[in-house]
Each structure stands twice: as structure tokens, then as C-alpha cells.
Amino acid sequence: MKKIVLTANDDRGLDGAMSMHFGHCTHFVLASVDADNQVTSTEVHANPYAERHEPGQIPEFIKGLGADVVVAGGMGGKALQWFEQLGVQVVTGARSGVGETLDAYLAGAVSGVSECNHEH
């Protein structure tokens, strides 16, 4: 079982909108995926650090959810480093919808990382 966390702008789960900025998303969607890349369950978690956070708090929170992978629109270098230290794979370059992004990731159409180049 693989656990994939996606950044979201709302609490609508797979029907929601992706957040393009990792550190300011309001919610995380946790999808459990089986060996056949079938989604077996989803959970929505409010981001307790959406308004204000210190480096490492959000990656630690996501790791605490049991995440193997985090998918976001974009992510800064510090967060990338935290996730690497925690052993969580990062994928950036999301689509507009959470479900659409998850489907694209599972199909191999969303992969790799590009760092945000604005101030964090």
C-alpha cells in the first residue's frame, strides 16, 4: 500500500482543487493506493500550519500521516530538503484538480521535481 498526499485548496477530496503553492495550501488529501495503482481510500486533513509555519513543520506533519509521496504544484528548496531527510518522495507540476493530478501521477504523466524560484 502506498500513501500519496496531494496539496489542496479545499476540503472536497479528489473532487477538490489542487493548491499550486505547497506551504500555503489549506488541506491535504491522503490517498491510499494498492499495488495495482487503484485508490482504496482517501482522507482530507486540514493544514494546521496554513497561516503560519516554521521550516520542517509541514513535512513532519505529512510524514506523520504515513506519506510515501507528496504531490504539489510547487515547493521551495527547504521543504524539498526536509522531505528528502524524512524519506518522502516529492513530485511537483500538478494539474488543476486533485483527482486529475492523482490520476496523472499514477499514469506516470506527473513526475519529477522543480523548485519554486520565489521567496519563501
Side-chain angles (χ1 to χ4, degrees):
M1 187 71 58
K2 181 187 274 189
K3 292 191 175 188
I4 303 165
V5 170
L6 300 102
T7 57
N9 281 331
D10 53 49
D11 63 357
R12 299 181 345 182
L14 295 179
D15 293 326
M18 281 294 293
S19 174
M20 294 302 143
H21 194 287
F22 167 76
H24 297 289
C25 72
T26 60
H27 292 81
F28 298 106
V29 178
L30 173 66
S32 296
V33 178
D34 67 18
D36 295 322
N37 275 347
Q38 298 301 308
V39 177
T40 59
S41 66
T42 60
E43 301 171 11
V44 177
H45 298 270
N47 180 357
Y49 306 107
E51 296 299 318
R52 183 174 168 85
H53 60 271
E54 298 296 321
Q57 286 179 315
I58 297 174
E60 291 280 355
F61 176 76
I62 289 174
K63 178 66 175 180
L65 296 176
D68 300 297
V69 179
V70 62
V71 182
M75 188 176 297
K78 288 181 185 175
L80 290 170
Q81 290 173 352
W82 275 97
F83 280 118
E84 183 177 338
Q85 291 173 355
L86 294 170
V88 176
Q89 178 188 3
V90 175
V91 176
T92 60
R95 307 288 198 260
S96 61
V98 174
E100 175 188 4
T101 299
L102 179 59
D103 289 345
Y105 169 77
L106 294 174
V110 173
S111 62
V113 176
S114 60
E115 183 179 334
C116 288
N117 58 10
H118 56 266
E119 196 64 34
H120 285 101

